[in-house]
Amino acid sequence: DAKTTQPPSMDCAEGRAANLPCNHSTISGNEYVYWYRQIHSQGPQYIIHGLKNNETNEMASLIITEDRKSSTLILPHATLRDTAVYYCIVRAMDLSTSGTYKYIFGTGTRLKVLA
Amino acid sequence: DAGVIQSPRHEVTEMGQEVTLRCKPISGHNSLFWYRQTMMRGLELLIYFNNNVPIDDSGMPEDRFSAKMPNASFSTLKIQPSEPRDSAVYFCASSLRWDRTHEQYFGPGTRLTVT
């Protein structure tokens, strides 16, 4: 399973863009990059995922480098409610016939949005 | 939909007692995951089911832990006998196996304290 490396913590001013980096240098060609976040005392919440193209949804943008060895999650206008731990996950394919994909969570980045 | 439901939300028990955690996945979801989260080890996948069948239990720490899914709408995680080192937050998550995003929806968690 590909491992991910993230900075343990980051600060961001409210209203500014938050750029959260992730390294996944051993990622395989068919493995997706997922981002989840966990707000204090809650279960993790899905944000976005991608394979090799940049992706955008209502929550965030995901930029994946051409060699796919790293990616950046962008929260375009961070708010206080975005304070959370952000997990970058490389989805490990279940090689059994079941076809379910399981996540290997790392330690994440603790993002603090400052007023 | 009410989302993934877990009960109890908090459990305090004495060492040696049996503990049963319960989970009701989102209706229609056919994959179910049990995770454990501690400060030391982060978020760990314990076991997951597809269509009520256990697929991978390699994350279950030892024989004291067991999980069942008797039907599509209910799963249990049992610890017998419990030990202080089992103290953690236990999350249940469900997903729709063939959903394009493979997004996992997490419950609010059960905070277990073993004294």
Side-chain angles (χ1 to χ4, degrees):
Chain A
D1 298 341
K3 293 184 178 179
T4 61
T5 304
Q6 299 177 253
S9 64
M10 292 180 64
D11 291 341
C12 177
E14 187 177 22
R16 303 297 294 269
N19 296 284
L20 292 91
C22 179
N23 287 323
H24 32 78
S25 58
T26 60
I27 193 170
S28 300
N30 60 354
E31 291 183 317
Y32 284 73
V33 179
Y34 276 71
W35 284 82
Y36 276 69
R37 73 179 183 184
Q38 186 174 24
I39 296 171
H40 181 62
S41 298
Q42 298 181 20
Q45 175 192 22
Y46 167 83
I47 300 173
I48 199 168
H49 78 287
L51 182 63
K52 52 185 176 182
N53 296 322
N54 298 338
E55 302 287 345
T56 295
N57 63 19
E58 65 277 4
M59 290 182 69
S61 295
L62 175 60
I63 308 298
I64 303 175
T65 58
E66 191 169 342
D67 63 7
R68 302 210 327 119
K69 293 184 177 182
S70 66
S71 60
T72 301
L73 177 75
I74 301 173
L75 308 179
H77 305 287
T79 70
L80 297 178
R81 288 177 295 179
D82 293 322
T83 293
V85 177
Y86 287 77
Y87 294 99
C88 170
I89 303 160
V90 172
R91 190 184 72 187
M93 178 177 290
D94 185 341
L95 298 180
S96 73
T97 57
S98 69
T100 293
Y101 301 89
K102 59 182 183 181
Y103 300 141
I104 311 295
F105 283 84
T107 54
T109 295
R110 187 174 297 275
L111 175 70
K112 186 174 183 179
V113 180
L114 306 173
Chain B
D1 199 316
V4 175
I5 298 172
Q6 293 187 244
S7 64
R9 293 294 309 278
H10 301 273
E11 176 79 31
V12 180
T13 190
E14 292 184 348
M15 181 175 63
Q17 296 298 307
E18 177 179 296
V19 175
T20 299
L21 311 181
R22 297 172 175 81
C23 175
K24 176 178 170 54
I26 292 174
S27 178
H29 282 190
N30 44 21
S31 294
L32 184 139
F33 307 79
W34 281 101
Y35 291 86
R36 177 174 68 175
Q37 186 171 37
T38 62
M39 288 292 293
M40 290 295 293
R41 301 177 66 88
L43 197 60
E44 303 173 282
L45 177 65
L46 301 178
I47 184 172
Y48 73 90
F49 297 81
N50 272 353
N51 296 320
N52 314 336
V53 176
I55 302 299
D56 184 348
D57 64 355
S58 59
M60 297 285 262
E62 46 196 278
D63 293 344
R64 298 184 296 105
F65 286 69
S66 62
K68 294 182 179 180
M69 192 165 186
N71 57 62
S73 60
F74 183 66
S75 177
T76 60
L77 178 67
K78 184 175 294 186
I79 308 172
Q80 168 62 20
S82 58
E83 297 182 2
R85 58 189 169 131
D86 301 331
S87 297
V89 180
Y90 291 81
F91 289 103
C92 175
S94 71
S95 71
L96 187 58
R97 182 177 159 191
W98 302 118
D99 178 75
R100 184 181 61 84
T101 68
H102 295 278
E103 176 182 354
Q104 291 186 18
Y105 294 81
F106 283 76
T110 295
R111 181 174 296 276
L112 173 65
T113 302
V114 183
T115 60

